[in-house]
Amino acid sequence: MNIAILIPSLSNGGAERVAAEISKYFSNKGHNLYIFTEQQKSAEYDFAGKVVHLKCRGSYYSDYQSWSGLVRSLGKRALEIRTLKKRYKIDAAISFMELYNLLNVLSKTTERVIVRVCTVLSPRNYTSKLYMPGLIGFLYNRADCVVTISHYGARDMVENYGIKRNKIKIIPNSVETASSQRNDDEWIYGDNAIVCLARISEIKQQELLVDIFFRIKKQIPDAKLLLVGVDTDEYAISLKRKLQKVHGGNAVIFTGHISHTRYYLMHSKLFMLLSKVEGFGNATIEAMSMGVPVVCMDSPGASREILAPHTKMTKLEEVEYAKYGVLVPFIDEASPVFEDERKKEVIAEEIVKTMRNRRVLDKYVKSGKKRAAFFTIERVGKMWDKTIGESYVRNHGR
């Protein structure tokens, strides 16, 4: 089968990493893979198949502030992709991220079109016309399949974008679990390091994490916070300035984007992620697979589905010691209220208790590894096999 993967970039993101894993999985199954992308530089991740560079490229935002700009840009780019689908005789086209999802639908010929929603869309407050619910609902309903990565994400697409439920399949991200990745650097951050693997951004709420960390540090003086991820945008720069001005010292370490994340995980005592929205926590699963206990905010997305499957999301007021990790109450760092201060104190106090309790830590080391095994490419790949198989049968009658 000829399969096209449509994605803007080949590096620096969770969606890109998952696309790379899927491409290798399908290639190993004997399919012909074609990666349609606008990125011209070398791929950071190891993709399988032929990379097809798109000539038509454009900004996610600048081209889409008016309806005329949107229609003109989408039309031109969809025409190029449609031509490429015909040239490579594509049987199934899988797209990642909203711009390429729209282009996948608009360029449809005879192939099976599968659009993959990589996050929970509605809470992200996108301003471009590209993300208008009416446009997404109208075009996504014309795809053959809409893949979401969680049950929460599926409900979001139905309730807020009008996607037909029978169009949706839930396929979680595949996550590369513990490997023998080696790094011989000496560990200099001590025995009480807390690590967060995520781009430094408003969505990931590292400023909130830093606030809670310094409350923890009052009781665990040798604690360190390692922020591992891209740290070049204005939010990250502002956070660094604030840290230097208010706290100084070297208790919070910005590593920037790195490839050897397992080096930080294997030495850390705890993994923390306090995202405002978390479509699917790849880094959370990666930490669990390495035997690192995880703490996640009970925010919109898949964190609860990962750590406490088969439970309902409620408005947490206290810390929940779930089956596979610790869930903490939701806080939006952009709108602090008195109630949030109480929650921060509760979260910090419970994390201190957890870090000091070897029995609790050992419990989550074991249960986390068990849960992470559910998200291997072998298991998730079978879900894709079924989706692609159904696609081929419907279109080719085989």
Side-chain angles (χ1 to χ4, degrees):
M1 187 187 306
N2 296 327
I3 300 174
I5 291 179
L6 284 64
I7 191 163
S9 169
L10 302 178
S11 57
N12 272 353
E16 292 82 358
R17 177 181 292 184
V18 171
E21 290 300 307
I22 292 173
S23 74
K24 290 184 287 186
Y25 176 83
F26 282 139
S27 180
N28 290 335
K29 289 284 186 175
H31 300 297
N32 300 314
L33 267 294
Y34 300 91
I35 315 300
F36 293 0
T37 182
E38 64 189 70
Q39 179 173 306
Q40 300 297 305
K41 62 182 180 180
S42 300
E44 177 180 345
Y45 300 123
D46 182 19
F47 279 78
K50 176 182 175 62
V51 176
V52 180
H53 295 292
L54 302 177
K55 296 179 181 179
C56 293
R57 299 189 297 275
S59 166
Y60 269 79
Y61 296 100
S62 61
D63 289 349
Y64 311 128
Q65 296 304 312
S66 67
W67 283 113
S68 60
L70 176 69
V71 171
R72 182 170 57 252
S73 181
L74 289 181
K76 185 177 180 180
R77 301 178 77 177
L79 183 61
E80 179 188 8
I81 294 172
R82 181 183 177 90
T83 300
L84 291 171
K85 285 180 176 180
K86 290 180 177 179
R87 178 183 304 170
Y88 293 107
K89 300 178 180 178
I90 299 301
D91 299 305
I94 306 169
S95 51
F96 290 73
M97 307 176 75
E98 273 49 62
L99 171 59
Y100 275 50
N101 285 344
L102 298 177
L103 292 171
N104 195 13
V105 177
L106 290 169
S107 63
K108 181 175 174 60
T109 58
T110 60
E111 81 286 353
R112 176 84 162 163
V113 166
I114 301 166
V115 300
R116 183 181 181 278
V117 183
C118 301
T119 185
V120 181
L121 280 181
S122 63
R124 286 183 172 261
N125 299 318
Y126 292 112
T127 57
S128 168
K129 293 190 184 312
L130 186 67
Y131 301 101
M132 292 187 67
L135 178 64
I136 288 176
F138 178 77
L139 288 179
Y140 281 28
N141 274 319
R142 280 151 181 77
D144 294 291
C145 180
V146 177
V147 172
T148 65
I149 52 182
S150 69
H151 292 276
Y152 191 103
R155 290 195 299 273
D156 185 56
M157 295 310 294
V158 171
E159 295 172 4
N160 295 306
Y161 295 90
I163 306 302
K164 299 173 184 176
R165 186 61 184 85
N166 62 2
K167 289 270 185 182
I168 297 176
K169 286 188 179 294
I170 300 168
I171 304 179
N173 288 353
S174 60
V175 179
E176 183 184 2
T177 52
S179 70
S180 58
Q181 185 184 42
R182 182 177 176 180
N183 188 295
D184 294 326
D185 292 346
E186 180 184 358
W187 182 252
I188 61 174
Y189 303 116
D191 297 327
N192 286 305
I194 299 171
V195 64
C196 174
L197 271 59
R199 175 187 290 273
I200 315 301
S201 67
E202 291 92 338
I203 289 293
K204 301 300 181 181
Q205 299 200 130
Q206 281 91 351
E207 185 172 346
L208 171 64
L209 177 55
V210 166
D211 186 337
I212 292 174
F213 166 72
F214 277 104
R215 297 167 194 247
I216 295 169
K217 191 171 174 61
K218 289 179 182 178
Q219 300 186 59
I220 305 180
D222 66 336
K224 300 283 188 183
L225 176 61
L226 309 175
L227 300 179
V228 182
V230 176
D231 59 357
T232 55
D233 69 9
E234 186 55 41
Y235 176 88
I237 294 170
S238 174
L239 178 56
K240 290 177 185 179
R241 288 172 181 161
K242 182 177 180 180
L243 268 170
Q244 191 61 38
K245 181 178 180 180
V246 177
H247 297 287
N250 60 353
V252 178
I253 295 92
F254 292 82
T255 70
H257 173 68
I258 59 172
S259 58
H260 54 286
T261 55
R262 281 170 173 71
Y263 167 67
Y264 290 90
L265 288 172
M266 68 188 295
H267 293 291
S268 294
K269 195 165 198 174
L270 208 65
F271 170 92
M272 285 187 67
L273 189 65
L274 305 182
S275 302
K276 187 182 302 185
V277 182
E278 189 59 47
F280 188 93
N282 286 15
T284 302
I285 301 296
E286 187 176 352
M288 294 164 75
S289 76
M290 291 289 291
V292 184
V294 301
V295 176
C296 294
M297 182 173 286
D298 196 18
S299 53
S303 292
R304 173 168 287 277
E305 292 178 38
I306 293 172
L307 301 185
H310 314 302
T311 65
K312 293 183 178 180
M313 186 175 180
T314 59
K315 188 177 181 181
L316 276 186
E317 295 297 333
E318 306 295 333
V319 171
E320 177 181 341
Y321 289 87
K323 186 173 182 179
Y324 299 110
V326 181
L327 287 165
V328 302
F330 178 81
I331 300 173
D332 183 349
E333 72 174 19
S335 56
V337 295
F338 178 77
E339 178 186 348
D340 290 341
E341 289 302 309
R342 183 196 68 81
K343 288 180 182 178
K344 291 175 188 177
E345 288 295 336
V346 168
I347 293 169
E349 187 65 36
E350 291 300 322
I351 289 175
V352 168
K353 291 179 184 177
T354 299
M355 293 178 70
R356 288 174 172 171
N357 192 324
R358 192 68 254 174
R359 183 183 62 82
V360 173
L361 292 174
D362 288 343
K363 168 193 169 183
Y364 284 130
V365 167
K366 294 176 182 177
S367 64
K369 287 183 176 180
K370 181 179 178 180
R371 180 62 172 157
F374 183 82
F375 301 101
T376 61
I377 187 59
E378 290 76 21
R379 296 193 68 167
V380 174
K382 291 178 180 178
M383 302 179 192
W384 280 105
D385 285 337
K386 184 177 180 181
T387 301
I388 295 298
E390 290 174 354
S391 305
Y392 200 68
V393 167
R394 291 187 189 184
N395 284 284
H396 297 269
R398 301 177 188 174

